Amino acid sequence: MDANRSHRLRAHGLKLAHLMTLFVAMSIICLPGLWIVLNSFRPTVEIMAKPPIWIPNDLNFDNYRAMFAGAGEGGVPVVTYFMNSLIISVTSTAIAILVGMAGGYAFARYRFRGKSAIFVGLMVTRAVPGVALSLPLFIVYARIGIIDTHFGMILTYVAMNVPFTIWLIDGFFRQVPKELAEAAEIDGCTRWQAFWRVEFPVARAGIASAGIFAFLTSWNEYALASQLTRSVTSKTMPVGLLDFTSEFTLNWGGMCALAVLMIIPALVLTFLVQKHLIAGLTFGGVKG
Amino acid sequence: MAEVHLEKVVKKYGELEVVHGIDLDIGHNEFVVFVGPSGCGKSTTLRMIAGLENISGGNIRIGDRVVNDLPPRARNISMVFQNYALYPHMSVRENLGFSLKIAGKDKAEIEAAVDEAAAILSLTPLLDRKPGELSGGQRQRVAMGRAIVRHPDVFLFDEPLSNLDAKLRTQMRVEIKKLHRKIKTTIIYVTHDQVEAMTLADRIVIMRNGSIEQQGTPLEVFANPVSTFVATFIGSPPMNLIDGVVKGGQVVFSDGTSLPVPPRYSAAEGQRVQYGVRADNIMPIGHALPPEEHMAELDMTVSLSEPLGTETILFGEISDTEIQAKMLNPRPVEPGETMRFQITLDKCHLFDAESGVSLRT
Ligand SMILES: Nc1ncnc2c1ncn2[C@@H]1O[C@H](COP(=O)(O)OP(=O)(O)OP(=O)(O)O)[C@@H](O)[C@H]1O
Ligand SMILES: [Mg+2]
């Protein structure tokens, strides 16, 4: 009886410690984000105050109002930037996922010459830091005239994301037993139908996570975008943040407001897809 | 309902030939079982019939069509996989109806077919579950149900019971046999379990290293194995094989004991042979079946006994070879006890020692 009670107490104690540690860790991780959200509602004086003001005493929407105001009144073309970001991220993600699915499936299911060499090659491309590519890319793009275009940015992000999506999706298709597709073929499907009606739905969760990943990479990318975009025709939101800097001043409040606008879609997307991520990988079609 | 014919079917993986020109004719509604040790090419042959593996040579005909280059969907076959391969994202109902849906059948028709199959396999209460929520035996039945809804020409089974526990396996074996009665269809069934093969098959096809070693009804292959391979593979416990030399109508073993050459077998004088006798045909006198026409007797010391209830398996030795004998109406046996055994010569076998081939005339 006593042994039982002390064990139960210990278990409770451990759980408490566990939760506390998690709380502290999460606070540290989330603090910068929360600080940004907070600052977006505060006037610059309060943001810059020394010592820092922890408890805000003047919250308002001034920064947002100013941001959406016309040019010359501290406004920036937020809507245009947002649309640029959206078009570029969504298109490049869609393409990266399609290519990733085709490539990942091939790597998972077929044997072909040079398979492992190609695979390693793909991974090596990820080892090159993006910034190192910015100058060569800039020169090439300038020559062929796709600098400062949506197309140029989409191309860049597709190239950046494809190796990763192939690698991730390959892993997910490997977990789908190949008998499933064979059973579907025997049930009357063509190879193509077997893929779309059986293998794809089973691997959907994995593909969705690869999609989130690719989307966030494109959505947040700054180093290359800052070089390859020039004007409102293609500037993305991360690059747009620089509009708040001028020669002598930094509009921290405005920056934070734009950053919040940037974070929201990413959060919403992750939230929408996470249900699939958790519910997805429940197999059970094969023995076990 | 269709015949299946294999003509000189060959399968190569690159340079490696794993199936060497198989000839086989399977009749309407016949239940054929491929049996053989691991890696002998059973699954490969089955998958070639299914169209999941292309063939490197020869012909496969189903009904009156050559199907060599037809994809699986055009062969009107269905298959039950060893790991069931149920679609995990679909309910049992959708799993069963999938093939009909693909075929473009209308809803009412699909529903009727699914209900019929579910009733046959007692799956009706499970129709709305996902495969992940079923037990192994239930998944197995769903896999069979998915195979029967379409009324295919040929059923293919690849070791469908090997993931079940012993009791369930026996139960499902009976169900498969009943199913075959009910839905009269050609069945090709792969297993490496000889008991499954014996109990289910109209005809057993014993494979070895990519070739057919012997085929026939279970009783035929049991009674007349063409080689020591078949003799030891079919039947439990496996047939006892004793090395010996033929001398004057007797097979003399290395320890000097001898047994007569069994009736209907012939061997040259001085030929090295293996003498085959099943446990059922070597029994201690007084605990045996009534003697038949040709009998022989010898003494053997029992080293171990395994009581099984109605019978006991006795272990002994003849010329350094371990022998398993059977004792009916058992009594307790002490290790070390020497008993006199009767041997039914009509059921004994003789094989060439080198090639293992039966010396039956
Ligand atoms: N993709 C492949 N490439 C090369 N060799 C293969 C391939 N698939 C099978 N084999 C070989 O073909 C032979 C027959 O294999 P198969 O799967 O038909 O055996 P099996 O009789 O079904 O055995 P088991 O009882 O273990 O299932 C084996 O020796 C195997 O190594
Ligand atoms: Mg096999």
Side-chain angles (χ1 to χ4, degrees), chain A residues 177-180 182-191 193 197-198 201-202 282-288, chain B residues 47 52 72-73 77-79 81 83-90 98-99 101-102 131-132 139 146 150 163:
Chain A
K178 72 179 198 321
E179 283 88 353
L180 285 187
E182 292 178 347
E185 275 193 81
I186 284 178
D187 272 348
C189 293
T190 58
R191 281 302 278 116
Q193 281 176 313
R197 307 197 69 141
V198 175
V202 174
T282 42
F283 282 85
V286 297
K287 66 155 182 189
Chain B
R47 292 167 56 82
L52 295 172
R73 65 176 184 282
I77 43 144
S78 46
M79 180 156 170
F81 292 83
N83 60 12
Y84 318 141
L86 302 178
Y87 311 127
H89 58 301
M90 299 182 197
F98 184 68
S99 59
K101 196 167 152 198
I102 292 290
R139 286 179 205 180
R146 194 172 62 179
R150 332 177 3 226
N163 284 325

Side-chain angles (χ1 to χ4, degrees), chain A residues 111, chain B residues 11-14 16-19 36-47 53 82 158-159 190-192 207 210:
Chain A
R111 293 202 292 178
Chain B
K11 177 69 192 179
K12 286 184 190 163
Y13 287 110
L16 180 72
E17 189 172 299
V18 297
V19 173
S38 193
C40 69
K42 309 177 296 283
S43 297
T44 307
T45 309
L46 194 75
R47 292 167 56 82
E53 212 72 69
Q82 179 172 359
D158 192 355
E159 309 208 21
V190 164
T191 177
H192 57 242
M207 293 186 65

Side-chain angles (χ1 to χ4, degrees), chain A residues 231-254:
Chain A
S231 69
V232 288
T233 49
S234 76
K235 262 194 192 179
T236 56
M237 306 234 309
V239 184
L241 284 177
L242 279 195
D243 286 7
F244 292 101
T245 62
S246 58
E247 210 168 338
F248 303 109
T249 58
L250 267 175
N251 181 357
W252 287 112

Side-chain angles (χ1 to χ4, degrees), chain A residues 46-65:
Chain A
E46 201 175 309
I47 298 171
M48 300 302 287
K50 264 182 203 162
I53 301 178
W54 289 100
I55 313 295
N57 48 26
D58 183 13
L59 288 180
N60 57 50
F61 285 94
D62 284 354
N63 291 323
Y64 291 90
R65 221 171 282 135

Side-chain angles (χ1 to χ4, degrees), chain A residues 199-274:
Chain A
E199 291 179 289
F200 173 72
V202 174
R204 194 178 49 202
I207 294 167
S209 63
I212 292 197
F213 211 89
F215 180 83
L216 292 182
T217 309
S218 315
W219 185 260
N220 294 330
E221 204 280 340
Y222 172 76
L224 288 172
S226 66
Q227 302 303 310
L228 301 177
T229 61
R230 307 268 93 182
S231 69
V232 288
T233 49
S234 76
K235 262 194 192 179
T236 56
M237 306 234 309
V239 184
L241 284 177
L242 279 195
D243 286 7
F244 292 101
T245 62
S246 58
E247 210 168 338
F248 303 109
T249 58
L250 267 175
N251 181 357
W252 287 112
M255 261 194 195
C256 288
L258 185 54
V260 168
L261 284 194
M262 251 175 75
I263 294 170
I264 288 171
L267 272 184
V268 169
L269 182 79
T270 315
F271 197 74
L272 285 181
V273 184
Q274 72 151 4

